[in-house]
Amino acid sequence: MIVKVRNLVKRYGNLVALDHLSLSVKEGEIFGLLGPNGSGKTTAINCILSLLKYDKGEIEIFNQPMSPDAYNIKRDIGIVMQNVAVYNELTVYGNIDYFCGLYITDKRKRRELVKEAIDFAGLGEYTHFYPKKLSSGLLRRLNIACGIAHKPKLIILDEPTVAVDPQSRNKILEGIMKLNEQGATVIYTSHYMEEVEQICSMITILDKGRAIVTGTKEQLKDMITMGEKITVETFGLSDTQLSAIKGLPNVISVDYKDNLLVIKSSKGRNNLENILDVVKKEDIRFGKIYSELPTLNDVFLEITGKELRD
Amino acid sequence: MQVFKLCMQIIRKNIPVMLIYVILTAVVTALMVSDIDKEYQKEISFTPAKRSIAFISEDNSLLIDGFREALGQIVNFVELDETQLQDALYFREVTYIVRVPAGFTEEFMKGADVKIDKSTVPNSVSNTYIDLFINQYFNTARLYIKNIDGISQELLVQYLKEDLSKTSNAEVKSTTGKKVTYPTYSNNYFNFFAYTLISVIILGMSMLMIVFNDRNLKMRNSCAPVIPGSINLQFILANLFFTFASWAILVVMSFIFNYKNSLNAYTVYFIISSFIYSFCCASISFLIGNLIKSQNAVYAVCNTIGLGSSFISGVFVPQELLSGSILKIASFTPAYWYVKANNAIAKLTQFDYRHLQPIFSDLMIVAGFGLAFFAVALAIGKRKNYIEN
C-alpha cells in the first residue's frame, strides 16, 4: 500500500473538516478524491503531507508513519498544490531547478531531471520566461513540472486544472496518465467529475469531510439505482403523455422543464426503445432524443441529494 | 544552499529599485564632496590679499628703491599727491601710507635708529602684516650693515632680495599636538548613510520576507525533505549577508568619493557606528517583512520610515536646527541615536575612553533598538505560524 489513512479527524474549532476519513491507495493507481468545494479534499491532502496537524487518525505512506520530519518519505513524494506556488523572481528553468534541488543535490543529475520535466510539461520555449509572463495554462504546467521534476514515486495533485483552458487541461491530464504509466502512483483531487472519470482508476467521493463511497467508476455507478438517462427535446407535452412515459417499466423519475424531458431509468435493455414507442404512439413531436449512462455526478446526486457543483 | 541562492536571486531581481537609493546617495555625496572641498580649501589655505597703500619717498636711493620693489610683492601702490592722502585714507582708497623721510638712507647706512613714517586706518589687521614686513626688511638690512663693514647699498639690496624671497611651509597643529583633520565629509556621509541603508535594507529584506512568507510557497518548501532549521538558517544567512554587503558597499563608496578625507581615525568610529546601525536596520526590516504582505506596501513603508525617521532625526537637517519637541519624538527612533553618535564622533579631539564613552552609550541604544525590533518580529512570526496551523 502506498498511502493508508485510517479514521482521520481534523477540526477547525467547531467545524469538522475531516470526519473519520479512511483511504487506501495502492501502488500504480491514479486515485481520485472527488468532492464539491469545501468537502475536505485539500485538508485531507495537507494532513497526508503533514502540513496540517490533525486531531485523530493514522497516516502511513510507503508503509511508514508520516510525520513532518519523515524526510525519507518526503523524498519520494511530489506535490502540486491547488494554488500555483512558484517564485516570480525565478525563470521557468530557475523554478524547476530550485524545487528539484530541494530533493536532488547532484547538479548533473538535477540538470537532466529539470530538462526532462521541461520537456514533459512542454515548456521548452519558455525556459527563460518569468512566471508573470506565462498564461494561466502554462503557469499550471510549470506548477506541475516543479512538483514532478525529481521523479517521485507518489505524486499528489490538488486540483491542478482549476482555471485552465480546455487545451491545457487535456495536456495536463495526458501528462498525469503518462506519469502513471512511467510508474508513479497518483493522488488526484478535483471537483470536476469528468476529469476524475477520465483518468482515475480508483475514486473516493468526499462530502463534508466524509468518504461517502470508494471504488472504480464502474463500481460507483453500479451502486446507484439509475442505469440510464434519456433526454428528449420536445415542447407542449400534455399530462396524459407525461403519465404514459411515467408508466413505462424501469422509469425512476420524469422531469420536464424548458422543453427538455429527462427520464431516469433503472438498468434495462429496452428503455430507449420503450420511450420511442410512447413518443410514436402519443404522436409527440421531438427535436433530439439521446441516452446517457450515469455519471459520477449522478452517483453523487443520488447519494447526497445534491449536485457535485452545488 | 538552495534557499541561500534563491534569496540572492530574489535580491538581484530587486537591485534596480535599490539602486535608485544608492544613486541618490552617490549624487548627494558628489555634491557634498565638491562643496566640502571648497570649504576645506578655504579653511586650510592662505592666500595673501594685497592691500592698497600710498608710498611717498623724500629720499632717493638704491635701498629705498629695493624696499619699494620688495614691498610691492605684498601691496598695491596707489599714486597720490600730498593733498589727496588724508581723503584717500578716510575713504579707504588706501589703508596705509608709507613716508620715507629725506636723508633716511644716509642715516640708516650709518647704523642710526631712523624710522619710516606711517599713517594708517585705525584697527586694521592688514596693516600689522605691512608693519611686520617693513620691520623684517629693515631689521635684516641692519644686521648686514652691522656685520659687513662698508657694505654697498647695491649689495645690501641684493642680499635682502634673496633673503626675503625664501619661504617656509607652515603646518597647522591642534592644541593636543596632533594633526588637525576635518571629519565634516565623513560625518555628513555617514549621517546620510542612515537614510540609504535603511531604505535599501527594508526593500531587500522585506521583499525576501514577503516571498518566503507566501503560504503556498512555504507549504511547497515544507513538503521537501529539507530540515526546516536548514531553510531558516540559510534564510538568516542570506539576510545577514545582504545586510553586510549593503553596509560594505556604502562604506566603500564613502572611500571612493573622498578617500583623502576618509583616511583618519574618525572614519573608523563612523564605520563601527554604521555597522551597529546596519544590524538595527536589519531588525526593523525583519519586523516590517513580518507585518507586510504586498510588495507595493513595502515601497510605501520604506519611504515612510526611511524619509520620516531621517527628517526628524537629523539625517537631512542638522540636529542643532531641529526643535526640542521634534528631537524628543526622534529619540524614539534609532536613527536619532545613530546621528547623535556620529555628531559626537565628529567633535572628538581625543580618542580615549572618557571621550568615547558617550558615543558608546548612544550606540548601545541603537543596538538595543535592534534587539527590541528583532524580539517583536520573532513574536509576531511565531504568532502568525500558530494561526496558520
Side-chain angles (χ1 to χ4, degrees):
Chain A
M1 208 63 76
I2 295 287
V3 178
K4 198 160 181 69
V5 176
R6 277 188 294 263
N7 286 321
L8 190 63
V9 178
K10 169 71 188 172
R11 290 190 191 93
Y12 292 108
N14 291 328
L15 179 86
V16 183
L18 294 175
D19 188 2
H20 296 90
L21 178 73
S22 294
L23 304 169
S24 294
V25 182
K26 287 181 196 148
E27 193 173 356
E29 269 181 353
I30 299 184
F31 186 90
L33 264 182
L34 181 68
N37 289 329
S39 58
K41 302 184 295 290
T42 301
T43 305
I45 295 299
N46 287 344
C47 288
I48 289 171
L49 290 166
S50 281
L51 293 173
L52 271 181
K53 286 178 189 164
Y54 44 90
D55 300 287
K56 204 178 152 189
E58 287 167 32
I59 298 169
E60 278 181 15
I61 300 180
F62 307 128
N63 298 316
Q64 293 172 67
M66 181 60 178
S67 65
D69 54 359
Y71 302 116
N72 53 336
I73 296 176
K74 286 183 173 184
R75 206 173 296 281
D76 289 320
I77 301 176
I79 172 76
V80 178
M81 298 282 184
Q82 184 175 359
N83 297 318
V84 175
V86 294
Y87 291 101
N88 286 325
E89 292 76 9
L90 300 182
T91 58
V92 164
Y93 185 93
N95 266 297
I96 301 171
D97 183 58
Y98 169 76
F99 287 111
C100 187
L102 295 176
Y103 298 81
I104 309 289
T105 47
D106 183 341
K107 275 187 183 175
R108 193 176 293 173
K109 191 180 172 192
R110 195 164 78 220
R111 208 174 298 139
E112 283 169 21
L113 289 171
V114 171
K115 200 180 168 296
E116 277 179 40
I118 287 170
D119 291 341
F120 172 81
L123 292 167
E125 291 172 42
Y126 309 98
T127 49
H128 291 99
F129 278 52
Y130 285 95
K132 278 188 176 171
K133 298 272 178 193
L134 300 178
S135 67
S136 62
L138 289 171
L139 209 52
R140 286 275 166 192
R141 272 144 72 179
L142 170 63
N143 198 32
I144 293 172
C146 291
I148 55 103
H150 59 287
K151 294 235 165 129
K153 287 180 193 163
L154 171 66
I155 301 170
I156 299 174
L157 299 115
D158 188 10
E159 307 215 33
T161 57
V162 173
V164 169
D165 61 277
Q167 199 187 343
S168 290
R169 179 180 293 191
N170 285 338
K171 278 213 165 188
I172 290 170
L173 296 180
E174 279 167 24
I176 292 165
M177 286 194 280
K178 205 168 151 189
L179 286 170
N180 180 244
E181 279 162 22
Q182 286 168 1
T185 304
V186 177
I187 298 179
Y188 185 88
T189 80
S190 179
H191 62 269
Y192 298 123
M193 53 165 186
E194 306 86 358
E195 288 179 3
V196 174
E197 221 174 320
Q198 188 182 334
I199 65 167
C200 295
S201 49
M202 185 61 76
I203 300 160
T204 286
I205 297 181
L206 280 184
D207 188 42
K208 292 178 181 169
R210 282 182 301 120
I212 49 176
V213 277
T214 300
T216 62
K217 58 186 170 191
E218 291 80 16
Q219 285 170 338
L220 294 183
K221 286 173 188 175
D222 278 344
M223 285 176 192
I224 58 171
T225 48
M226 191 185 102
E228 194 173 3
K229 187 164 82 179
I230 297 159
T231 308
V232 185
E233 237 183 58
T234 180
F235 59 90
L237 273 186
S238 67
D239 289 343
T240 326
Q241 289 166 331
L242 272 174
S243 299
I245 293 168
K246 278 180 188 168
L248 285 170
N250 298 335
V251 169
I252 302 166
S253 69
V254 175
D255 185 27
Y256 182 55
K257 211 165 34 179
D258 300 330
N259 297 331
L260 272 183
L261 177 67
V262 180
I263 306 141
K264 288 182 181 170
S265 312
S266 56
K267 279 173 199 151
R269 288 192 173 183
N270 305 317
N271 290 339
L272 183 61
E273 211 178 313
N274 293 340
I275 286 169
L276 281 171
D277 284 345
V278 174
V279 165
K280 205 172 172 185
K281 196 174 161 191
E282 297 286 330
D283 196 22
I284 298 171
R285 292 185 174 184
F286 66 93
K288 278 184 203 164
I289 186 160
Y290 51 91
S291 165
E292 293 168 288
L293 290 170
T295 62
L296 290 176
N297 189 41
D298 297 314
V299 176
F300 189 77
L301 182 64
E302 197 168 315
I303 296 172
T304 65
K306 58 187 180 184
E307 299 255 356
L308 252 174
R309 290 185 187 87
D310 281 354
Chain B
M1 294 294 273
Q2 284 288 99
V3 178
F4 183 85
K5 278 188 219 160
L6 171 69
C7 291
M8 291 302 110
Q9 272 169 307
I10 293 168
I11 286 169
R12 209 178 303 151
K13 199 88 191 354
N14 285 297
I15 280 180
V17 189
M18 290 186 255
L19 261 185
I20 293 170
Y21 291 92
V22 178
I23 290 168
L24 177 73
T25 309
V27 171
V28 170
T29 310
L31 291 172
M32 195 163 74
V33 168
S34 80
D35 198 45
I36 285 172
D37 265 355
K38 281 177 204 160
E39 287 294 315
Y40 182 71
Q41 287 308 318
K42 263 191 226 168
E43 274 179 46
I44 62 160
S45 61
F46 171 73
T47 310
K50 285 188 171 185
R51 308 299 301 192
S52 296
I53 73 162
F55 191 93
I56 313 292
S57 179
E58 294 162 358
D59 190 22
N60 282 325
S61 66
L62 285 173
L63 179 66
I64 298 305
D65 290 346
F67 168 59
R68 188 188 159 98
E69 191 187 332
L71 190 59
Q73 301 289 318
I74 62 161
V75 298
N76 291 322
F77 294 116
V78 178
E79 293 302 322
L80 297 167
D81 59 41
E82 282 290 339
T83 56
Q84 295 171 312
L85 287 175
Q86 288 309 312
D87 284 347
L89 207 57
Y90 182 77
F91 291 109
R92 303 294 194 266
E93 284 175 44
V94 294
T95 57
Y96 202 108
I97 299 168
V98 178
R99 186 184 291 275
V100 184
F104 174 87
T105 309
E106 195 182 339
E107 292 298 314
F108 186 80
M109 292 302 287
K110 285 177 188 168
D113 187 18
V114 282
K115 281 184 178 162
I116 285 193
D117 298 332
K118 67 168 185 176
S119 304
T120 62
V121 171
N123 304 322
S124 169
V125 180
S126 59
N127 292 342
T128 311
Y129 182 53
I130 299 169
D131 286 341
L132 285 171
F133 180 82
I134 294 170
N135 288 340
Q136 185 188 20
Y137 189 88
F138 288 107
N139 286 342
T140 313
R142 271 192 197 99
L143 276 174
Y144 280 111
I145 292 165
K146 209 173 173 181
N147 293 298
I148 306 170
D149 284 341
I151 186 168
S152 67
Q153 283 186 45
E154 194 180 358
L155 193 61
L156 180 61
V157 169
Q158 194 190 320
Y159 285 160
L160 287 170
K161 198 176 176 180
E162 278 172 25
D163 291 347
L164 293 173
S165 65
K166 283 171 187 162
T167 57
S168 56
N169 293 325
E171 195 176 306
V172 184
K173 295 268 187 181
S174 76
T175 49
T176 56
K178 286 175 186 167
K179 197 173 178 179
V180 171
T181 51
Y182 295 83
T184 321
Y185 162 74
S186 300
N187 188 16
N188 289 348
Y189 181 88
F190 280 95
N191 280 356
F192 195 79
F193 189 101
Y195 167 65
T196 317
L197 193 73
I198 197 157
S199 305
V200 168
I201 293 182
I202 286 177
L203 274 178
M205 272 184 67
S206 301
M207 292 295 185
L208 275 182
M209 298 281 293
I210 285 172
V211 173
F212 272 83
N213 283 337
D214 182 289
R215 196 164 179 266
N216 296 316
L217 289 167
K218 233 178 174 178
M219 284 172 85
R220 188 162 222 169
N221 282 323
S222 301
C223 292
V226 184
I227 302 164
S230 164
I231 292 180
N232 290 341
L233 184 70
Q234 288 182 56
F235 182 68
I236 290 166
L237 269 179
N239 278 307
L240 288 178
F241 177 78
F242 168 67
T243 303
F244 181 76
S246 308
W247 169 81
I249 288 167
L250 288 171
V251 167
V252 169
M253 243 171 79
S254 86
F255 283 97
I256 292 170
F257 274 98
N258 201 346
Y259 73 95
K260 275 182 193 167
N261 286 337
S262 299
L263 300 172
N264 52 52
Y266 293 100
T267 309
V268 176
Y269 288 97
F270 284 130
I271 288 172
I272 293 170
S273 152
S274 62
F275 188 75
I276 293 168
Y277 183 68
S278 65
F279 284 97
C280 181
C281 291
S283 294
I284 294 170
S285 309
F286 188 55
L287 174 62
I288 293 168
N290 264 312
L291 292 171
I292 286 178
K293 285 179 182 167
S294 86
Q295 295 197 345
N296 287 338
V298 171
Y299 300 129
V301 170
C302 173
N303 284 330
T304 310
I305 291 182
L307 286 172
S309 69
S310 299
F311 267 118
I312 62 168
S313 303
V315 171
F316 300 140
V317 181
Q319 285 185 344
E320 295 79 34
L321 300 180
L322 295 169
S323 75
S325 53
I326 288 179
L327 288 177
K328 260 188 188 159
I329 298 166
S331 65
F332 292 100
T333 67
Y336 167 81
W337 298 98
Y338 167 71
V339 171
K340 191 167 172 272
N342 279 354
N343 292 345
I345 292 169
K347 284 176 192 157
L348 279 176
T349 50
Q350 289 179 52
F351 296 91
D352 53 24
Y353 180 74
R354 194 169 63 83
H355 288 84
L356 289 171
Q357 200 269 331
I359 294 163
F360 288 144
S361 299
D362 292 343
L363 292 178
M364 287 298 281
I365 293 171
V366 174
F369 268 108
L371 285 175
F373 285 125
F374 187 66
V376 173
L378 280 183
I380 289 173
K382 264 202 158 180
R383 171 128 188 91
K384 270 172 88 177
N385 278 341
Y386 175 77
I387 291 167
E388 275 175 18
N389 283 318

